[in-house]
């Protein structure tokens, strides 16, 4: 029978593997439940582990420090669920920040790891959100990032800001009023797919009206050039690969302006059956396709 200490070791082993992939335990709920069962370190234990990591590069000490603070990452990540990103992904990025904090942790400064790690965890989550929230990056400067993560909270009831509110937010965040207005527009702008959904043929998407008729799309240009080549020099070269009878049949059937000859008309001309003309035609096409492909 497995004793409690062995169970904790097994749990820690599984969690260690799940740090980079919170979904590895099955569900995010299972991960959070396992994290919340881990014991919290005392200040003395934390200091001892920090010194072992700093002085002896003890990876087991680093693992214990990380595992004991995984619940902190879960707690912080919940604050960013409103951005439409998966909770597991937010936790994963926060865990990266926690690992960076543990690597830089100095136990002699008298600061608990929890206080030191908050900055690194939030920094990684912020970077992930800005990088993935939209295809078009909306927060590229320090001021824009500050507005991105604060403006939603500061907008009263999500309503459009009036000039006085814009000025008040700008003063509080120490940014320019025009930066506040610009970020408000970018945050409230409705996203629109470039192409219509595949299951909605009647949808009128931007791709239908944003194209410039005066500019030829590159793939269409190449396709047209290839078609011209096949109908001109390419076709002539392919016909030259045929014997006289096969070439006559192809030209009579398919290269005439008046609709071309029928199988029976060519069968009478060569004194064979219509089926034999069809076989010769098929063999000719096979040779021509090979010539055109080459």
């Amino acid at each position: 029978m497995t004793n409690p200490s062995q169970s904790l070791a097994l749990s820690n082993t599984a969690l260690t593997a799940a740090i980079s992939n919170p979904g590895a335990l099955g569900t995010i709920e299972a991960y959070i439940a396992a994290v919340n069962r881990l014991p919290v370190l005392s200040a003395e234990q934390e200091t001892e582990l920090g010194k072992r990591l700093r002085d002896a590069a003890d990876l087991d000490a680093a693992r214990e420090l990380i595992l004991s603070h995984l619940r902190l990452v879960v707690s912080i990540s919940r604050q960013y669920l409103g951005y439409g990103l998966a909770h597991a992904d937010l936790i994963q990025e926060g865990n990266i920040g926690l690992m960076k904090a543990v690597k830089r942790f100095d136990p002699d400064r008298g600061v608990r790891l929890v206080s030191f790690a908050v900055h690194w965890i939030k920094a990684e989550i912020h970077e992930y959100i800005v990088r993935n929230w939209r295809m078009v990056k909306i927060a590229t400067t320090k001021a824009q990032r500050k507005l991105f993560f604060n403006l939603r909270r500061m907008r009263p009831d999500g309503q459009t800001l009036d000039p006085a509110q814009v000025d008040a937010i700008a003063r509080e965040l120490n940014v320019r009023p025009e930066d506040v207005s610009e970020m408000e527009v970018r945050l409230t702008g409705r996203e629109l797919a470039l192409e219509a959904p595949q299951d909605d043929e009647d949808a009128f998407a931007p791709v239908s009206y944003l194209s410039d008729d005066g500019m030829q799309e590159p793939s269409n240009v190449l396709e047209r050039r290839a078609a011209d080549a096949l109908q001109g020099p390419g076709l002539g070269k392919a016909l030259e690969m045929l014997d006289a009878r096969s070439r006559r049949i192809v030209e009579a059937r398919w290269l005439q302006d008046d609709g071309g000859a029928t199988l029976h008309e060519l069968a009478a001309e060569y004194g064979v059956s219509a089926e034999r003309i069809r076989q010769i035609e098929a063999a000719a096409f096979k040779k021509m396709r090979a010539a055109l492909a080459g």
Side-chain angles (χ1 to χ4, degrees):
M1 181 175 179
T2 304
N3 61 43
S5 62
Q6 289 175 323
S7 297
L8 181 58
L10 291 173
S11 177
N12 285 356
T13 300
L15 280 169
T16 301
I19 288 174
S20 61
N21 181 15
L25 293 182
T27 65
I28 189 63
E29 290 77 15
Y31 174 85
I32 294 174
V35 162
N36 289 333
R37 289 196 298 267
L38 293 173
V40 177
L41 297 175
S42 66
E44 293 75 17
Q45 291 173 316
E46 188 177 286
T47 299
E48 179 187 353
L49 291 170
K51 289 181 178 179
R52 282 168 49 189
L53 173 60
R54 182 194 62 190
D55 300 336
D58 189 336
L59 295 183
D60 286 334
R63 182 173 66 88
E64 292 300 321
L65 288 170
I66 292 171
L67 290 175
S68 66
H69 287 80
L70 290 179
R71 67 180 67 204
L72 173 64
V73 176
V74 171
S75 176
I76 293 175
S77 66
R78 286 196 180 103
Q79 303 171 20
Y80 300 94
L81 291 177
Y83 292 96
L85 299 173
H87 195 187
D89 292 338
L90 295 172
I91 292 175
Q92 178 177 319
E93 296 300 318
N95 286 345
I96 294 174
L98 174 60
M99 288 186 277
K100 290 182 178 180
V102 168
K103 181 178 180 181
R104 294 165 174 80
F105 179 55
D106 185 352
D108 291 337
R109 290 189 175 183
V111 178
R112 293 295 299 269
L113 178 56
V114 63
S115 301
F116 180 69
V118 167
H119 163 76
W120 291 96
I121 294 169
K122 286 187 175 182
E124 288 297 322
I125 293 177
H126 285 186
E127 182 64 29
Y128 173 74
I129 292 174
V130 170
R131 190 171 64 246
N132 293 278
W133 195 55
R134 290 185 178 178
M135 292 179 64
V136 179
K137 305 301 184 294
I138 70 164
T140 55
T141 67
K142 185 176 181 179
Q144 288 173 340
R145 285 172 181 258
K146 185 186 298 185
L147 284 164
F148 179 77
F149 289 105
N150 288 279
L151 191 55
R152 283 186 173 188
R153 171 181 56 83
M154 301 175 73
R155 288 170 61 206
D157 300 324
Q159 299 299 316
T160 302
L161 299 175
D162 59 38
Q165 292 170 330
V166 169
D167 291 338
I169 292 175
R171 286 194 301 270
E172 182 174 344
L173 297 179
N174 193 28
V175 297
R176 299 179 305 170
E178 50 265 37
D179 290 334
V180 177
S181 299
E182 179 184 356
M183 184 55 65
E184 182 188 19
V185 171
R186 296 167 87 175
L187 285 174
T188 56
R190 184 171 67 91
E191 293 184 351
L192 186 64
L194 181 62
E195 297 182 349
Q198 293 183 353
D199 57 350
D200 188 358
E201 297 181 355
D202 296 329
F204 190 60
V207 71
S208 304
Y209 55 81
L210 290 179
S211 61
D212 185 353
D213 295 335
M215 299 293 292
Q216 293 295 325
E217 203 278 327
S219 61
N220 292 337
V221 174
L222 294 176
E223 183 179 348
R224 188 178 65 253
R225 289 178 179 176
D228 291 342
L230 292 178
Q231 294 174 4
L235 181 59
K237 180 180 178 182
L239 287 171
E240 290 176 0
M241 303 288 293
L242 304 178
D243 60 79
R245 183 174 63 173
S246 297
R247 179 169 181 173
R248 159 67 182 153
I249 290 172
V250 170
E251 289 179 339
R253 288 269 292 154
W254 301 103
L255 300 180
Q256 303 299 317
D257 294 334
D258 58 0
T262 65
L263 291 175
H264 292 285
E265 289 173 343
L266 290 170
E269 180 179 337
Y270 286 102
V272 296
S273 66
E275 174 61 20
R276 179 55 184 158
I277 295 297
R278 189 196 63 77
Q279 293 173 355
I280 295 173
E281 179 185 72
F285 283 155
K286 185 177 180 179
K287 288 182 182 180
M288 294 177 67
R289 281 195 294 268
L292 291 171

